[in-house]
Amino acid sequence: MLIDFHTHSTASDGALTPAQLLARAQTRGLQYLALTDHDTVAGYLEAVELLPEAAELTLIPGVEFSCRWSGATIHILGLGMDCEHPAMREGLAQLSDAREQRAITIAQRLAKLGYAGALEGAQAVAGVSQIGRPHFATWMVAQGHVADHNAAFDRYLGQGKTGDVKAFWPELAQVTQWIESAGGAAVVAHPLKYRFTGMKLRRLVAAFAEAGGSGIEVISGRQTSDQVAHLQRIAQSFDLEVSIGSDFHREWQHGADLGMEIPRIEGLRGVWERWAVATAS
Ligand code: AMP
Ligand code: MN
Ligand code: MN
Ligand code: MN
């Protein structure tokens, strides 16, 4: 059985519209899909209207919240929450504002480097999508300021560069509580992407568990079996559920496509079991 609990659409920085993402998931034979756009559920709300009741595919409400912990930007997935719950409404509104404010700051910083017009440029690229650094990168490429997206992140937008503005994100405990109060499962996204030492990663997961979080992603895109085993051990030591997802943004030969087989997870609980998806043992 194929499932995927971490995907993006054009509501944030994915290339496929919610309708196209649903179609791709159905063509590939997925049974469970969570659409987890950055800081918005607009794509999910659009997709759920499009899905016929008799569909083989079950769509799970999702979001990927940006937050701060110990000076780093961390991504926390919300799965299966009530999007209309007051805590979620407050969180989503706060994050939309944060993204607008952050975009202004990013543009001011780029202007100081001689790149004027970044805010209007990135806003035009984003359109109605939740604005983010990829939209700035696309604008920089279109202006000829950099050769490609990678160069834009490497030089201006990536971790530690001038456009990496974290100040507007809420704290890890806050976003975890929004999700959990709305009946969802808060899940630490791609734990290895933060490039923490093993010790720091355990400190992050401890803080997250302490805040009431439910799970961690043990498979995110393509990982080695050693990495999966490492993350499963962390889940076990903090008694957390495990989740899996492709982090699909677009078709890309180096990235994972939609849909993953449920792994063997002896002694662990899959977050998917909340939707009565059986785990092979
Ligand atoms: P934001 O959500 O605005 O902070 O932007 C982060 C997003 O940019 C991530 O979710 C990725 O989709 C994308 N991204 C991050 N780093 C890179 C990179 N080095 N090259 C291309 N895209 C990136
Ligand atoms: Mn993204
Ligand atoms: Mn992420
Ligand atoms: Mn993601």
Coordinates of all heavy atoms in Angstrom, one line a residue, residues 6 8 38 64 74-77 189-190 193-194 247 249, ligand 3:
H6 N 3.6 13.8 3.3 CA 4.3 15.1 3.2 C 4.5 15.5 1.7 O 5.3 15.0 1.0 CB 5.7 14.9 3.8 CG 6.5 16.2 4.0 ND1 7.5 16.4 4.8 CD2 6.4 17.4 3.3 CE1 8.0 17.6 4.7 NE2 7.3 18.3 3.8
H8 N 3.6 18.9 -1.4 CA 3.4 20.4 -1.6 C 2.6 20.6 -3.0 O 2.8 19.8 -3.9 CB 4.7 21.2 -1.7 CG 5.4 21.2 -0.3 ND1 5.1 22.1 0.6 CD2 6.2 20.3 0.2 CE1 5.9 21.8 1.7 NE2 6.5 20.7 1.5
H38 N 3.4 24.7 2.9 CA 4.1 25.6 4.0 C 3.1 26.6 4.5 O 2.7 27.5 3.8 CB 5.3 26.3 3.4 CG 6.4 25.5 2.9 ND1 7.2 24.8 3.7 CD2 6.8 25.1 1.6 CE1 8.1 24.1 3.0 NE2 7.9 24.3 1.7
E64 N 2.6 22.3 6.8 CA 4.0 22.2 7.3 C 4.3 23.6 7.8 O 4.5 24.5 7.1 CB 5.0 21.9 6.1 CG 6.4 21.7 6.6 CD 7.4 21.3 5.5 OE1 7.0 21.3 4.3 OE2 8.5 21.0 5.9
I74 N 12.8 25.3 12.1 CA 12.4 23.8 12.1 C 11.0 23.8 11.4 O 10.2 24.7 11.5 CB 12.3 23.3 13.6 CG1 13.6 23.6 14.4 CG2 11.8 21.9 13.6 CD1 14.7 22.7 13.9
H75 N 10.8 22.7 10.7 CA 9.5 22.4 10.1 C 8.7 21.4 10.8 O 9.2 20.3 11.1 CB 9.7 22.1 8.6 CG 10.1 23.2 7.8 ND1 10.4 23.1 6.5 CD2 10.2 24.5 8.1 CE1 10.7 24.3 6.0 NE2 10.6 25.2 6.9
I76 N 7.5 21.7 11.2 CA 6.6 20.8 12.0 C 5.4 20.5 11.1 O 4.7 21.4 10.8 CB 6.2 21.3 13.3 CG1 7.4 21.6 14.2 CG2 5.2 20.4 14.1 CD1 8.2 20.4 14.7
L77 N 5.2 19.2 10.8 CA 4.0 18.9 10.1 C 2.8 18.8 11.0 O 2.9 18.3 12.1 CB 4.1 17.5 9.4 CG 5.3 17.4 8.4 CD1 5.4 16.0 7.9 CD2 5.0 18.3 7.1
A189 N 9.3 17.3 10.8 CA 9.6 17.0 9.4 C 11.1 16.8 9.2 O 11.9 17.4 9.9 CB 9.1 18.2 8.5
H190 N 11.5 16.0 8.2 CA 12.8 15.8 7.8 C 13.9 16.1 8.9 O 14.7 17.0 8.7 CB 13.2 16.5 6.5 CG 12.6 18.0 6.5 ND1 13.0 18.9 7.3 CD2 11.7 18.5 5.6 CE1 12.4 20.1 7.0 NE2 11.6 19.8 6.0
K193 N 17.5 17.0 7.9 CA 17.8 18.2 7.1 C 18.4 19.4 7.9 O 19.0 20.3 7.3 CB 16.6 18.6 6.4 CG 16.6 18.4 4.9 CD 15.3 18.8 4.2 CE 15.5 20.0 3.3 NZ 14.2 20.3 2.6
Y194 N 18.3 19.3 9.2 CA 18.8 20.5 10.0 C 20.3 20.4 10.2 O 20.9 21.3 10.7 CB 18.0 20.6 11.3 CG 16.5 20.5 11.1 CD1 15.8 19.4 11.6 CD2 15.9 21.4 10.3 CE1 14.4 19.3 11.4 CE2 14.5 21.4 10.1 CZ 13.8 20.3 10.6 OH 12.4 20.2 10.4
D247 N 8.0 14.6 0.6 CA 8.3 16.0 0.5 C 8.3 16.4 -1.0 O 9.1 17.3 -1.4 CB 9.6 16.4 1.1 CG 9.7 17.8 1.6 OD1 8.7 18.6 1.4 OD2 10.8 18.2 2.1
H249 N 7.8 18.2 -4.3 CA 7.5 19.6 -4.7 C 7.2 19.6 -6.2 O 6.4 20.4 -6.7 CB 8.7 20.5 -4.5 CG 8.8 21.0 -3.0 ND1 9.2 20.1 -2.0 CD2 8.6 22.2 -2.5 CE1 9.2 20.8 -0.9 NE2 8.9 22.1 -1.1
Ligands
MN3 MN 10.4 21.4 5.0

